[in-house]
Structure formats: C-alpha cells, structure tokens
Amino acid sequence: MNALKNKVQLIGNLGQDPEVVNLDSGSKVAKFSIATNESYKNSKGEKITETQWHNIVVWGKLADVVEKFLSKGSEVAVEGKLIHRTYETKEGEKRYVSEVKCNELLMLGRQ
C-alpha cells in the first residue's frame, strides 16, 4: 500500500500547448494544464458540467514526448504524485502552487 500514499490519476484535455524549457543542466521540463469534466443532474433535472483544471509537470524523456506529440486539446491520461510548493513574487507576495509531477503519460484519442 506504500505506493498508493500519494498517487494521482487524471484523464483530461490540454488547455494550451505545453510550455517546454531546456535547463542549463541538460534536463528538459514540460508544463501544461489539463481540464477534467464531471457531469451530473441537479435537483431540477438539469445537466450540470463542472470543469476542474490541473497543472501538470513532466521531466526528462517524457518531456520530449510531450513536446513532440501534445498540443492544445490533446486528450491524455496522466499518473503521478501531487506536489504543493510556495514561492515569493518580486513584490513580496507569497504564492501557493499545487501540481501533478507526472511519471506516466498515455496519449488518448486523435492527435
């Protein structure tokens, strides 16, 4: 059960083209967001769709795959772990970020 302590699995569509950065160390990182949709009927019988946005970070060879094959609208399944971090802006404001560090990615649908 240790492998299940911090595991995230999502299926969704990219909201924009991935942002890919080549680091001085030779590593590559790709960042993108995906939208997941959930539909239900409210008490009046109306169909309601809620969209959640998730920030995804991909490193190394998997970032190469993201760069070559994914673009806005691509449907993907991602698996990874949830990361929370904070940083301070130049103006001194504290910001909080939650993102999924992806370690497996599956391209779905048409590309």
Side-chain angles (χ1 to χ4, degrees):
M1 292 296 276
N2 284 340
L4 298 177
K5 286 188 177 179
N6 185 357
K7 186 175 185 177
V8 177
Q9 295 178 322
L10 298 167
I11 297 175
N13 296 87
L14 272 72
Q16 75 279 343
D17 290 339
E19 175 188 330
V20 180
V21 177
N22 292 300
L23 304 174
D24 293 338
S25 64
S27 297
K28 185 179 283 192
V29 62
K31 296 181 180 185
F32 57 92
S33 62
I34 64 171
T36 57
N37 296 313
E38 183 176 356
S39 297
Y40 63 91
K41 291 192 178 188
N42 65 12
S43 59
K44 297 178 184 177
E46 303 166 327
K47 183 179 177 182
I48 305 295
T49 301
E50 291 183 350
T51 302
Q52 299 289 323
W53 288 94
H54 312 276
N55 295 319
I56 312 295
V57 179
V58 183
W59 291 87
K61 294 184 186 273
L62 204 49
D64 289 330
V65 172
V66 168
E67 182 178 35
K68 290 178 186 173
F69 298 108
L70 297 184
S71 60
K72 180 178 180 177
S74 298
E75 185 178 25
V76 294
V78 297
E79 182 176 292
K81 65 180 184 176
L82 194 58
I83 303 289
H84 301 287
R85 58 185 175 87
T86 60
Y87 67 94
E88 203 168 288
T89 65
K90 292 177 184 177
E91 295 78 26
E93 296 176 29
K94 197 168 192 179
R95 298 283 170 96
Y96 300 88
V97 178
S98 295
E99 55 198 10
V100 176
K101 182 180 177 189
C102 176
N103 56 31
E104 289 191 45
L105 182 131
L106 181 62
M107 294 178 280
L108 306 171
R110 296 184 189 168
Q111 301 299 322

